[in-house]
Amino acid sequence: MRPITRRTAFTMAAGTVTASTVVSATAVSTASAAAADATAQAGQAAKSGANPVLRSDLITQVTPRDNWRVNAVVLHHALPIDLEGDTIPPSAFQVTATLGGQTTARTVTRVYPHTVPEVDDRRRAGRPGRYLVIELDPDDPNARASGPVDPLPLGRAYAVRQVADVTAGDGRPVLVAGSLAIRNDGVLSPVVDDFAAGSFTDSTGFEMDFRLYQPAGYTSRPGAHDTRYPLVVTLHGGGEVADNNMTQLTANRVAVTFAKPERQRRNPAFVLAPQIPLPRPMDGPDGTDWTDPRVQAALTELIDTFTAERPVDTDRRYLVGLSSGARGIYALLPKRPRTFAAALATAGWGDPSTLGAITHIPIWADHSVDDPVVPYREGRFGKPGTWTLMNALESAGARVTRGEWANDLSKAEYEARSHTLLNRAQQTGSHVLFTSYPAGTTPVNAHLSWAQTYENDVVIDWLFDQSR
């Protein structure tokens, strides 16, 4: 279960007070006087610009293509900040990050007060409140929240100093500059923090960590059994093999994108994100991770156990994976051809001889033509890539609908192309779709073709429309 938030704890405390039976007139009078005194003190402090910082936290973001980044620092002030319509210049604050023993500046892009400790994506961001959000440029060289694999130690790694007074439109001081720097206490990671951490030990003693998102409908009524939810199982890539039980969430937006509030409103579901442990097993038939017999056995047992212990709709279990995770999909589906309702497989490879067993399973696959890590046709370790696998599925009897478009299109253009492809598939009775991305159109690295896939509402809605 997700931990009780501070807001929940306050709500519970307020409920306890409300339940008290008698409140004396003297107590009311005393409380009113105290409130009036506090208001007067707050007004006096506001006039002088005195508004101390109680704590500071970093805000991170899992980006579609470029890993996990620190995109803001939030200061929690003692009193509300009200600029009366004025704005705060970014130059009023300096932020530095100390990582690996080196201290370097971060670029401040926007500063605004807010009622909650989170980034506001609106053009005119923020509203009067106790939180001051200092947004940072995510393209800064020192913006990363993790190294090649493990998270960076970010506690007290950032320092914030106010170097110029902040005033309201009438010249009234709102926040006064000072020489003392504030260091961050903690790290807030939206959506990532909503995943509970767990581990599973299978019947052979093999242990596998996992992260779990549980839909709000279930956590609010855990004892009710009248609603069953889809289960999305996400298989990470080879770069996320680790013992930190974090990288499978933060290295890319696969599991995280299924747990976003807007996604959960459209398609509430359990999201299960297992992580392959170190040392790398590498005992699979083609030297990969999700094909390792121990890993595969633990994964299937975990899925079966979770399904038995949670209200999972067994007709709506889905496999999603990228790179070696897609390899895991092509390896697992033929062995469990009646378990999953559909799959999304990106930049994968596999054994064409086994695909005759899964011609009935809806699959949406995609791959960059110029992928340097998992070649589009040749694949890896002697096992062919997606192009060859789709041909094998077609030869085995599945009708494959193909489309090709640039992977750097805007979200709206990308989804329009996806919608057209889906319409064509539906008109021809096809349930296997294959998207290719021409050379030079996948940003950052041609292997990272999944960045658009999991942001694509057309693809995700298609997945949840499938049932076994």
Side-chain angles (χ1 to χ4, degrees):
M1 288 181 63
R2 290 194 286 270
I4 294 175
T5 64
R6 183 172 295 181
R7 178 177 295 178
T8 304
F10 285 160
T11 302
M12 293 170 64
T16 305
V17 172
T18 304
S20 300
T21 54
V22 179
V23 179
S24 70
T26 302
V28 171
S29 177
T30 302
S32 299
D37 185 51
T39 302
Q41 289 181 27
Q44 206 171 29
K47 288 180 181 178
S48 68
N51 193 349
V53 175
L54 304 181
R55 67 173 287 127
S56 169
D57 294 290
L58 304 183
I59 302 177
T60 71
Q61 179 185 26
V62 180
T63 63
R65 287 191 174 91
D66 205 13
N67 206 272
W68 191 27
R69 293 184 168 266
V70 177
N71 64 339
V73 182
V74 60
L75 307 180
H76 185 180
H77 284 266
L79 302 172
I81 303 164
D82 188 356
L83 300 174
E84 298 180 355
D86 207 355
T87 58
I88 301 175
S91 59
F93 290 85
Q94 291 180 348
V95 178
T96 59
T98 303
L99 304 170
Q102 293 189 335
T103 299
T104 49
R106 289 294 310 269
T107 305
V108 178
T109 57
R110 290 202 302 179
V111 184
Y112 49 86
H114 209 0
T115 56
V116 289
E118 62 185 37
V119 170
D120 188 344
D121 292 327
R122 295 176 299 176
R123 186 178 63 83
R124 189 166 179 81
R127 60 189 63 181
R130 286 183 167 86
Y131 297 98
L132 189 72
V133 179
I134 304 171
E135 288 191 29
L136 306 171
D137 187 344
D139 294 327
D140 284 345
N142 56 347
R144 286 187 176 274
S146 65
V149 176
D150 292 320
L152 295 172
L154 293 176
R156 294 168 297 285
Y158 275 62
V160 180
R161 191 163 72 90
Q162 184 179 341
V163 295
D165 291 348
V166 172
T167 60
D170 59 0
R172 172 179 57 85
V174 176
L175 297 173
V176 177
S179 58
L180 302 180
I182 304 296
R183 287 201 173 271
N184 68 292
D185 298 283
V187 180
L188 305 176
S189 299
V191 185
V192 171
D193 290 340
D194 294 330
F195 280 79
S199 64
F200 174 74
T201 303
D202 73 4
S203 54
T204 70
F206 186 89
E207 186 174 2
M208 175 179 284
D209 285 342
F210 64 84
R211 284 301 194 102
L212 171 65
Y213 179 88
Q214 302 177 95
Y218 169 70
T219 57
S220 63
R221 300 173 63 236
H225 300 291
D226 54 336
T227 301
R228 294 197 169 270
Y229 297 91
L231 170 63
V232 179
V233 180
T234 62
L235 305 185
H236 62 70
E240 290 77 71
V241 176
D243 290 327
N244 54 44
N245 205 4
M246 175 65 83
T247 311
Q248 74 269 39
L249 298 182
T250 58
N252 47 62
R253 285 175 63 86
V254 181
V256 166
T257 198
F258 284 96
K260 293 189 302 183
E262 57 268 34
R263 273 279 158 75
Q264 284 287 320
R265 284 193 292 270
R266 290 164 69 99
N267 295 296
F270 289 104
V271 184
L272 182 63
Q275 184 178 48
I276 298 174
L278 290 171
R280 301 182 77 119
M282 300 301 275
D283 292 336
D286 57 2
T288 63
D289 301 303
W290 292 107
T291 57
D292 177 88
R294 292 168 296 174
V295 170
Q296 200 171 83
L299 173 64
T300 55
E301 197 172 322
L302 168 60
I303 294 169
D304 290 343
T305 301
F306 185 83
T307 298
E309 295 183 359
R310 292 290 194 277
V312 172
D313 184 345
T314 55
D315 288 330
R316 300 181 68 202
R317 290 180 290 188
Y318 307 109
L319 267 184
V320 178
L322 57 87
S323 192
S324 68
R327 169 64 180 121
I329 289 175
Y330 293 124
L332 183 58
L333 286 182
K335 296 178 181 179
R336 300 289 295 266
R338 300 297 169 188
T339 299
F340 301 98
L344 293 180
T346 302
W349 70 101
D351 184 353
S353 69
T354 66
L355 301 187
I358 63 171
T359 56
H360 63 289
I361 299 178
I363 299 173
W364 197 321
D366 59 338
H367 208 141
S368 297
V369 169
D370 55 341
D371 189 331
V373 178
V374 181
Y376 176 74
R377 296 170 184 260
E378 296 82 6
R380 299 191 77 186
F381 306 114
K383 304 295 183 183
T386 309
W387 183 85
T388 307
L389 295 179
M390 293 299 105
N391 289 345
L393 265 175
E394 198 163 44
S395 297
R399 183 170 292 170
V400 180
T401 303
R402 294 172 170 83
E404 182 170 317
W405 56 80
N407 202 12
D408 55 2
L409 297 175
S410 69
K411 177 176 168 59
E413 292 176 300
Y414 189 101
E415 291 188 346
R417 298 292 186 94
S418 301
H419 195 267
T420 299
L421 184 68
L422 178 57
N423 283 342
R424 186 150 52 89
Q426 292 171 337
Q427 290 167 5
T428 59
S430 168
H431 58 254
V432 179
L433 299 92
F434 176 33
T435 306
S436 300
Y437 308 115
T441 68
T442 298
V444 183
N445 182 309
H447 184 52
L448 309 182
S449 51
W450 51 80
Q452 288 266 39
T453 307
Y454 304 111
E455 303 304 303
N456 185 341
D457 291 332
V458 174
V459 172
I460 302 304
D461 287 345
W462 168 87
L463 181 75
F464 281 106
D465 284 343
Q466 310 307 311
S467 59
R468 188 168 58 86

